[in-house]
Amino acid sequence: MSTDLYLPSLPSIGADFAAPTSATQLTLSVFIAGFALGTLVFGPLSDRFGRRPMMLAGMAVFTAGSIGCAGAGSIETLIAWRLVEAFGGGAGPVLARAVVRDLFAREDAARTLSYMGAAMAVAPALAPMIGGAIHLGFGWRGQFWALAAAGGGLLILVWASVAETNRHPDRDAARPARILRNVFALVSNRAFIGFAATSGFSYGGLFGFISGGAFVVIGVLGVAPESFGFLFVFVAGGFVAGSTVGGALAKRWGVVRMIEAGVWTGVAAAGIGLGLALAGIVSPLSVIAPVAAVFFGCALVFPSATAGAIGPFPHMAGTASSVAGFVQMSIGAAVGAVVGATLDGTTRPLFAVILASSLVALALFYAVVRPADARRTPA
């Protein structure tokens, strides 16, 4: 919701603050960077203090950041408050993944994360449509007030209904020396980095569209801001479909085959999109259909790669989830920034960057993930 609700208003935000496209797009990239930073903090703290207290703290910070965004008086202030908002929001997915690892082994975790992904994809499917309606009635500031209300609601929901799953808190988990030692153990693990980076570059293709899609669909294709959300439903529908398929097949196929299918889907879809762009075929269908397929592929990769990355580390699931999330989100933010910097009034840069990111994910899979998994000793 935090990335997609205000997508229809990105051009309007730039116009209101007389800011260039690159600065306006930075409100997205800095959000992903802050999100990644939040995952690094909340995960290790949850190994020490529990998942539930950190969820509550994260939602409180997120709500405060959303209120700050709503009242921003300049593009620089908006960017700063987006960083705060993102830092708090980072608690959500990293702790949700840690909870899944608390409860399930690798293959079951991949299936559970896939079904969670399908449910979570309802938000990006509906958010641009809701955001378009809010844009018409209240402008872009109304969208951030809506996010503040959502954050407050989540704070209440967590307080009322989320149980603690970290049954054996590590008293030393939040100590700097322990955190550094755990992080070093993770980043020096070839399989962990392979799974996380493959997921990150696959996610980069997804975030490339989230970052630049509004400028392409509204600016290049001429779609009205309030109509952008209806097209985005088809893109998010690709993620829902991929998550549903992944949930059904994850245990039968295993995480490695799921990732392989996903990265190949992303490369093929992005290649088709770039081919159409180079041929001068520019229409909503030529943009949305390939991007929906990219989202489908990412939905196959993301839960399986996450389960593969954090599965071997049950004793530090929060930290493992944090570092994996940081790698994934940082790569996504970098890819999004490249999209913002290369947009030229055509659809070519968007698909060129998505294809490049997808090809890196494919190369990492065959160079690192599959060989490392072949050497894995089954749990």
Side-chain angles (χ1 to χ4, degrees), residues 147-372:
L147 287 175
L154 286 171
L155 184 65
I156 295 170
L157 186 62
V158 170
W159 180 267
S161 63
V162 174
E164 182 56 61
T165 60
N166 183 6
R167 302 301 183 189
H168 305 286
D170 183 351
R171 294 182 179 274
D172 297 324
R175 292 182 178 177
R178 172 63 69 84
I179 292 174
L180 290 175
R181 188 161 60 248
N182 287 346
V183 169
F184 180 78
L186 292 167
V187 299
S188 61
N189 185 293
R190 182 177 175 86
F192 177 87
I193 289 298
F195 278 114
T198 299
S199 177
F201 280 101
S202 177
Y203 179 75
L206 180 151
F207 190 72
F209 179 77
I210 292 177
S211 178
F215 295 104
V216 170
V217 173
I218 296 172
V220 178
L221 302 182
V223 174
E226 60 270 21
S227 300
F228 173 76
F230 292 98
L231 290 179
F232 200 87
V233 167
F234 294 100
V235 172
F239 196 89
V240 173
S243 296
T244 304
V245 170
L249 296 179
K251 195 161 186 178
R252 187 187 316 165
W253 281 21
V255 299
V256 174
R257 286 183 64 193
M258 293 300 302
I259 296 170
E260 184 174 26
V263 292
W264 272 112
T265 299
V267 168
I272 291 171
L274 181 58
L276 293 173
L278 293 173
I281 302 173
V282 180
S283 68
L285 181 62
S286 71
V287 172
I288 298 302
V291 170
V294 169
F295 274 50
F296 181 94
C298 183
L300 298 182
V301 173
F302 196 76
S304 291
T306 299
I310 69 177
F313 305 99
H315 57 291
M316 51 174 174
T319 302
S321 181
S322 285
V323 177
F326 180 80
V327 171
Q328 294 158 351
M329 298 300 172
S330 296
I331 293 172
V335 173
V338 172
V339 170
T342 57
L343 289 176
D344 63 356
T346 72
T347 60
R348 293 191 296 269
L350 175 68
F351 282 110
V353 174
I354 292 176
L355 178 59
S357 188
S358 300
L359 285 170
V360 174
L362 182 69
L364 284 168
F365 172 79
Y366 284 109
V368 183
V369 170
R370 196 160 73 168

Side-chain angles (χ1 to χ4, degrees), residues 65-172:
S66 298
I67 293 172
C69 289
S74 67
I75 192 67
E76 293 81 9
T77 304
L78 178 60
I79 290 170
W81 277 113
R82 282 286 281 173
L83 188 64
V84 174
E85 181 188 47
F87 180 81
V94 69
L95 298 179
R97 291 193 297 265
V99 166
V100 170
R101 182 58 191 90
D102 289 339
L103 301 175
F104 299 101
R106 189 175 88 155
E107 308 301 336
D108 288 324
R111 180 175 60 179
T112 303
L113 289 167
S114 291
Y115 287 135
M116 284 173 58
M120 289 166 60
V122 173
L126 297 180
M129 288 192 296
I130 297 171
I134 295 174
H135 175 87
L136 284 178
F138 304 99
W140 64 266
R141 295 184 189 275
Q143 294 162 343
F144 286 105
W145 284 117
L147 287 175
L154 286 171
L155 184 65
I156 295 170
L157 186 62
V158 170
W159 180 267
S161 63
V162 174
E164 182 56 61
T165 60
N166 183 6
R167 302 301 183 189
H168 305 286
D170 183 351
R171 294 182 179 274
D172 297 324

